[in-house]
Amino acid sequence: YVWILFERDLYLINSKYYKIMSDEEFDELCFQFGLELDEITSEKELISKEQNDSKAAGASDVILYKIDVPANRYDLLCLEGLVRGLQVFKNKLEAPRYVRVSPVSGQPQKLIITKETAAVRPYAVAAVLRDITFTQERYDSFIELQEKLHQNICRKRSIVAIGTHDLDTTSGPFTYTAKPPSEICFQPLNQTKEFTATELMSLYRTDSHLKHYLHIIEDKPVYPVIYDSNGIVLSMPPIINGDHTKISLKTKNVFIECTATDLTKAKVVLDTLVTMFSQYCSQPFTVEEAEVVYPDGKTCLYPELPYRKEKLSGEFVNRKIGINESTETVAQLLTRMCLLSKLTGVGDQIEVEIPPTRSDIIHACDIVEDAAIAYGFNNITRTTPRSYTVATQFPLNKLTELLRQDVAAAGFTEVLTFALCSKEDVGDKLGKKISETGAAHISNPKTAEFQVARTTLLPGLLKTIAANKKMPLPLKLFEISDVVLKDKSKDVGARNSRRFCAVYYNKSPGFEVIHGLMDRTMQLLGVKPLRGEGYHIQAAEDSIFFPGRCAEIFVDGKSVGRLGVLHPNVVTRFELTMPCSALEMDIEPFL
Amino acid sequence: MLSPPTTTCNMADTGVVEALLLGLEKAEDGVDSLELSSSLGVEHQVVVGAVKSLQSVGEVISAEQRSSKHWQLTEEGVEISELGSHEARVFECIPVEGLLQSELMKLPFGKIGFTKAMSNKWIRVDKTSEGGPLIFRSVQTIVDQVREKLLNVLNGKDAELEEKEKSELKKRRLLSEVTVKSYWITKGSSFSTTITKQETELTPEMIVSGNWKDNKFKPYNFEAMGVPLDCGHLHPLMKVRTQFRQIFLEMGFTEMPTNNFIESSFWNFDSLFQPQQHPARDQHDTFFLSDPALTLDFPQDYLQRVKKVHTEGGFGSQGYKYEWKVEEAQKNILRTHTTAVSARMLYKLAQQKFTPVKYFSIDRVFRNETLDATHLAEFHQIEGVVADYDLTLGDLMGVLHQFFTKLGITKLRFKPAYNPYTEPSMEVFSYHEGLEKWVEVGNSGVFRPEMLLPMGLPEDVSVIAWGLSLERPTMIKYGINNIRELVGHKVNLQMVYDGPICRLDT
């Protein structure tokens, strides 16, 4: 979940609420808009929850709202965007128009990308916020938005990294290049001396925040770095900025650079930052362009602040949602979602303008959803699809359902065990080599319990007995479920196989009980005890079973499974102490 | 837990039973078991036994337990009631010629008896005699009132003593007050002084001979539990699964073949228009396979359309505009949702002439997540899918309303949500009467055109879908807080044995 945290009063003030809005009203507003008021809390409460009450003693008890935000709505990741979105939604504000402007005098700031960056982080975009006024709250929000973007769309800085700089402390043109770490040397943010990049990597190894980003570049031969025209380092993305250009409350002009491995996302990140915070520039919602020069000499102006136009019909929107509103109303609904919409005059055609804040709108279906949200999901009439369909059960599941009922009626209790297990469970413990089991292996298990997909149901049943030793004997358990076996004939190289497994655990092995269950199962499946065209069992050898106490089950001459008395080694390896007999067979041959 | 019909009648003293019944016949209202025991001269416990045995044969008597305060002799009191009070014994042992005080004091009752006898003025001391003080009787005869009072108490006539006298004897530690439980016995609705022998059980012989008509039968103890049966049980989660299956079948939904836990990233993610950089595709969220590691066999033209819609869009979409890599799509995983199967089914559907379908599945899915009391690495996903011409968001809401009504949930509301492969997407909330708030019960949406059109489905076909977990409603239904007690080998078998049948709408 993506969430943001902000002071309740700041929301109210910024929304120009002169009367009190109750928490319930705000909760309801969020619900309609697709947000979730997750928690009403305070810094004090948060600290005491995470640490302890004594640590929270001096903390603020100003009321905070924690809100869950849809993962594709980067425009709602700060209070500025949230207030704007909700005010427009409530028809209390017109969505602002974001404008890219040229500098009042002189050339735009220039960021030159050299070809060395291709090896590590090839893309960069930039922009300038001119004559901005920070307050403590605005500044904190600006920093917090960068952090939220870093964690979400930037995928923990691996795809995009943001650097913001006090433009008045530096001078362009800026150069974005990549160098061996030993050749990069600068004073990083909040440090008092210079370090080489190599030194920084070891310095940050223990930094609770920065250590998570080191892996992005550490094994690369060259590290990305941005210099100004005097050779001062602005940043070493995606790790750290230089101390020289750091922004403060007094900063008036902000130079923003985003370096990336994905240009589309870099542009979205830059657009998000500048559309949110240009609100505080002397010319609100204007952003000064910057020129990016690519190694091939191509130049681009950023931010792009794209306004895209889509045309769709009012009828289409009505039909997709299941409502019947006039074209004008549909246009108004969309406008309340920051999608400025006008009738073109051609039939019921609506021209919808998608602003740079709404990178999540990539298809007409996204526009339809916004119309539905503005209409109110819960105002839509519930209808029933008209088509007539006849239900069919999946034959294997139908057989499983019928068989389970009757195996339980035969006195056995159903269990439900995991499809994943350790190699040992299906290998060593059963006296088998893991390579011979045909097991599918998991490459990234967090614990040994998830090393392989099970190839037999038996270990799960035996573990169930081991966890229920206090229960009165005998224990009679069964499971009908899938195992997984490698199979080259399938596109994914493996297939499920539906098995029936049962165990009898008591002071005596009770082979006759398991044998009786097998006979009963065959009776249920309509198979007669007959060699050839029916079923029979015959002695077999298997490391799972005690020698001379194992038989293979044949149906129409084909082996479908085994039954027998478990080998004492198997009993012991599953931490059991009593004799045990078991049965495991395929049920797919009986379809 | 288990107790057979009582057979105390045989063990009770028949004499006492008879005496009790005769006594009760004569009594106007009833008799007290304690009084009866003293009048019969038997232990109270014997009378209690008779009461119990009569209670077991029906409404002959009715007995109500009550408690009463009662005076009882202490050990010393009993001794005195037999041998006389210390002072009387002192009086008795003094001969006419007198007794040396020193000799008297050697007797066990001497000291106390001397003091009391002196204060009663029964004896006198001659301190002038040679050889030490001599004691003489000062009266001819005495009445040993202490002994008499104690004998009264012993015979149950303690009412004849005044309270003051009782408390004096209590002070001398000869009497103590005890609480006695007894029965107040009255005639029952079928009172009779003769008890016929009762049969324990109906036998085949009785049925053949017809004797059962004349026999009386011992009543059963209906307070006891029956014998626990030796039976099998179905697992609660599977019982709930059966009910969900039933609901889908009642609604005309066809079951999808979900018996393929291993899936390629292509069918699990790419075909659903889930971008390759999506966090769900991270090692921390999904189980990847090392063997078999890759899927190489895909419908090539479809794969190209999927690649195109991710990379550059098309089908009315802007696309995600990133470099889509087939290597990512080839990676095998344990499916993270059954929607991978829905994707395969919809692709298959698109290869034929389109007819509307309704599909469902309930099966295992896998997440490489952090585990806690409500999350396991594998759980069951319930999924419903409807593909039809021109389905609306209102249709999705209507189908959800029908589905949840069958679960006994009628108050629903919908919250806009985000999901990479559905648009619009809605979280389904139901009003929980117990918690007095709206709780999320499922997720739903309309599959994106970027998912459906590359498959080849007609443009005017919409596909609506919803999903929920099987475990959560089961845990709520069966009151289970820790998922490990429900799913996996650490299951509590007693819980499985004791679980009721599953009726979701009650």
Side-chain angles (χ1 to χ4, degrees), chain A residues 155 369 383 387 446 486, chain B residues 233 277 291 368 388 395 423:
Chain A
R155 298 276 176 268
E369 180 182 67
T383 49
S387 287
K446 281 179 183 151
K486 284 197 284 181
Chain B
H233 311 82
Q277 291 146 336
D291 181 23
N368 196 8
D388 201 346
D395 288 333
E423 188 81 10

Side-chain angles (χ1 to χ4, degrees), chain A residues 155 264-265 362-363 366 369 378 383 387 392-394 397 413-414 417 419 441 443-444 446 486, chain B residues 233 235 245 255 277 283 286 288 290-291 315 318 321 364 368 378 388 395 414 423 425 448 488 491:
Chain A
R155 298 276 176 268
T264 311
K265 288 205 165 64
I362 57 176
H363 192 278
D366 299 302
E369 180 182 67
N378 296 295
T383 49
S387 287
T392 312
Q393 301 185 48
F394 179 48
N397 290 359
T413 292
E414 186 177 37
T417 65
H441 290 249
S443 65
N444 59 334
K446 281 179 183 151
K486 284 197 284 181
Chain B
H233 311 82
H235 191 279
R245 260 185 113 241
E255 192 169 28
Q277 291 146 336
Q283 295 271 332
T286 298
F288 286 83
S290 55
D291 181 23
F315 308 102
Q318 299 290 307
K321 300 194 172 83
R364 292 181 200 238
N368 196 8
E378 51 189 273
D388 201 346
D395 288 333
F414 303 96
E423 188 81 10
S425 307
R448 295 191 69 98
V491 64

Side-chain angles (χ1 to χ4, degrees), chain B residues 243-261:
Chain B
Q243 290 312 304
F244 273 101
R245 260 185 113 241
Q246 183 68 30
I247 288 171
F248 277 115
L249 293 171
E250 284 167 8
M251 290 175 69
F253 282 64
T254 285
E255 192 169 28
M256 291 189 272
T258 46
N259 56 335
N260 58 325
F261 296 163

Side-chain angles (χ1 to χ4, degrees), chain A residues 47-66:
Chain A
I47 296 175
S48 77
K49 213 188 288 171
E50 275 171 27
Q51 300 172 29
N52 57 50
D53 290 348
S54 65
K55 286 249 169 73
S60 156
D61 43 22
V62 168
I63 292 179
L64 302 176
Y65 280 160
K66 188 180 171 199

Side-chain angles (χ1 to χ4, degrees), chain A residues 410 412 476 503-504 509-519 581:
Chain A
F412 281 71
K476 298 196 277 184
V503 292
Y504 178 84
F511 177 79
E512 67 287 358
V513 178
I514 283 296
H515 191 183
L517 178 67
M518 193 271 300
D519 289 332
S581 51

Side-chain angles (χ1 to χ4, degrees), chain A residues 1 28 30-36 70-72 155 159 262 264-265 308 310 318-322 360-366 368-369 372-373 377-378 380-387 389-394 396-398 400-401 404-405 408 411-420 439-446 449-450 453-454 460 463-464 467-468 471-472 474-479 481-482 484 486 491-496 498 588, chain B residues 230-235 237-239 241-242 245 249 252-255 257 259-264 267 273 277-279 283-284 286-292 294-297 315-322 332 334 344 356-358 364 366 368-371 376-378 380 388 390-395 397-399 401-402 412-418 423-427 429 440 448-450 462 487-494 496-497:
Chain A
Y1 269 110
E28 185 57 35
C30 284
F31 193 95
Q32 287 170 15
F33 195 62
L35 302 168
E36 194 168 335
N72 61 342
R155 298 276 176 268
I159 300 178
D262 178 321
T264 311
K265 288 205 165 64
R308 190 176 89 241
E310 297 274 357
N318 277 312
R319 178 157 48 87
K320 288 289 175 190
I321 301 173
D360 59 300
I361 306 276
I362 57 176
H363 192 278
C365 67
D366 299 302
V368 168
E369 180 182 67
I373 292 172
F377 274 15
N378 296 295
I380 298 168
T381 307
R382 297 170 190 182
T383 49
T384 308
R386 288 166 307 277
S387 287
T389 56
V390 174
T392 312
Q393 301 185 48
F394 179 48
L396 182 58
N397 290 359
K398 183 176 180 176
T400 302
E401 283 289 295
R404 297 175 44 237
Q405 305 277 348
F412 281 71
T413 292
E414 186 177 37
V415 297
L416 176 70
T417 65
F418 296 129
L420 305 183
H441 290 249
I442 292 160
S443 65
N444 59 334
K446 281 179 183 151
E449 293 166 273
F450 312 121
R454 65 181 172 196
K463 288 198 280 186
T464 306
N468 282 279
M471 298 301 292
L475 284 172
K476 298 196 277 184
L477 305 181
F478 82 98
E479 181 170 13
S481 190
D482 286 352
V484 178
K486 284 197 284 181
D491 60 347
V492 298
R495 67 176 164 90
N496 283 19
R498 181 107 0 133
E588 289 176 41
Chain B
D230 177 19
C231 59
H233 311 82
L234 294 171
H235 191 279
L237 194 82
M238 297 294 96
K239 289 196 273 197
R241 185 180 73 175
T242 301
R245 260 185 113 241
L249 293 171
F253 282 64
T254 285
E255 192 169 28
N259 56 335
N260 58 325
F261 296 163
I262 294 178
E263 189 51 278
S264 62
W267 286 107
F273 196 52
Q277 291 146 336
H278 193 277
Q283 295 271 332
H284 297 293
T286 298
F287 287 113
F288 286 83
L289 291 191
S290 55
D291 181 23
L294 301 175
T295 296
L296 301 172
D297 178 17
F315 308 102
S317 178
Q318 299 290 307
Y320 290 126
K321 300 194 172 83
Y322 71 98
N332 274 342
L334 284 164
R344 283 181 182 264
V357 294
K358 292 188 208 145
R364 292 181 200 238
F366 304 85
N368 196 8
E369 283 177 18
T370 316
L371 312 180
L376 290 171
E378 51 189 273
H380 290 73
D388 201 346
D390 290 326
L391 289 174
T392 67
L393 196 54
D395 288 333
M397 290 173 176
V399 172
H401 178 73
Q402 290 176 332
L412 283 189
R413 66 173 190 163
F414 303 96
K415 175 178 160 291
Y418 169 67
E423 188 81 10
S425 307
M426 311 190 297
E427 280 168 6
F429 283 73
E440 196 190 328
R448 295 191 69 98
E450 292 99 324
S462 293
V487 181
H489 57 268
K490 287 180 185 155
V491 64
N492 175 355
L493 278 180
Q494 193 62 51
V496 176
Y497 290 173

